[in-house]
Amino acid sequence: QSALTQPASVSGFPGQSITISCTGSRSDVGGYNYVSWYQQHPGKAPKLMIYDVSNRPSGVSNRFSGSKSGNTASLTISGLQAEDEADYHCSSYTSSSSWVFGGGTKLTVL
Amino acid sequence: QVQLVESGGGVVQPGRSLRLSCAASGFTFNNYAIHWVRQAPGKGLEWVADVSYDGNHQYYANSVKGRFTISRDNSRNTLYLQINSLRAEDTAVYYCARTLLQYFDYHGMDVWGQGTTVTVSS
């Protein structure tokens, strides 16, 4: 149950697009299409942004999209806005019938 | 509205026990698997455990197996986490979170509580 690997931080200017990667193994990200992404503002609970690699829950902006290639999943945010500044966490179901999260990525909107 | 509310956190001495609760409302509790997820100060999220919608199956992170017990009372719409032999590294905000789809626990967590803080300190 090793944590998934995410960059510690990413940044971008308003209107730009950014991508956050999430790397695991064949036992988690690469083996299942059960990757999800969460947005977390300081002092708040996480919010589900993407589930099953690329699906958006109702109410989540279509500026958020997800994808996967091999053992790496990605979250792309297009048309960056100030309110997108937050921590982003990826998660995957694993072959041990458990879940594993990444270390989290701090997004800064410049 | 759909809601989860955690309680039971506090400051506890190492080696003691604690039971966290998560009260659900606004949805059919016994149709959903529920998770516990924790977040140490300044750190990322860590999945702790989950229990199936009917309470018959429990799954744990290796880091807590043997010390933590997850359970649910569907008649009371409440989830529990019993934590024994508390350690300093258990200090965290503990969240309960509902799975997105009924009956399955594969598809992410769409409803989260506000969290309850556990501090292990002598």
Side-chain angles (χ1 to χ4, degrees), chain A residues 54-70:
Chain A
S54 60
N55 294 308
R56 279 186 310 275
S58 174
V60 172
S61 170
N62 59 9
R63 298 186 298 105
F64 292 82
S65 62
S67 62
K68 190 185 84 167
S69 177

Side-chain angles (χ1 to χ4, degrees), chain B residues 7-104:
Chain B
S7 61
V11 179
V12 188
Q13 292 180 328
R16 304 296 291 266
S17 298
L18 199 63
R19 188 176 81 158
L20 307 182
S21 299
C22 169
S25 60
F27 65 98
T28 305
F29 181 70
N30 57 12
N31 285 359
Y32 290 86
I34 309 286
H35 301 258
W36 284 103
V37 176
R38 68 183 179 181
Q39 187 169 33
K43 302 296 185 182
L45 301 173
E46 180 187 14
W47 179 81
V48 172
D50 79 290
V51 60
S52 60
Y53 66 96
D54 56 6
N56 287 339
H57 302 280
Q58 304 84 33
Y59 305 94
Y60 298 93
N62 287 340
S63 59
V64 306
K65 204 172 292 185
R67 291 193 304 122
F68 287 27
T69 302
I70 188 171
S71 62
R72 64 191 296 162
D73 184 341
N74 284 345
S75 68
R76 297 178 182 269
N77 288 352
T78 302
L79 174 77
Y80 302 101
L81 185 68
Q82 177 70 38
I83 308 174
N84 296 330
S85 303
L86 276 155
R87 305 168 179 169
E89 54 264 38
D90 296 323
T91 294
V93 175
Y94 285 74
Y95 296 100
C96 58
R98 189 190 80 168
T99 54
L100 176 65
L101 298 180
Q102 297 184 73
Y103 306 117
F104 298 101

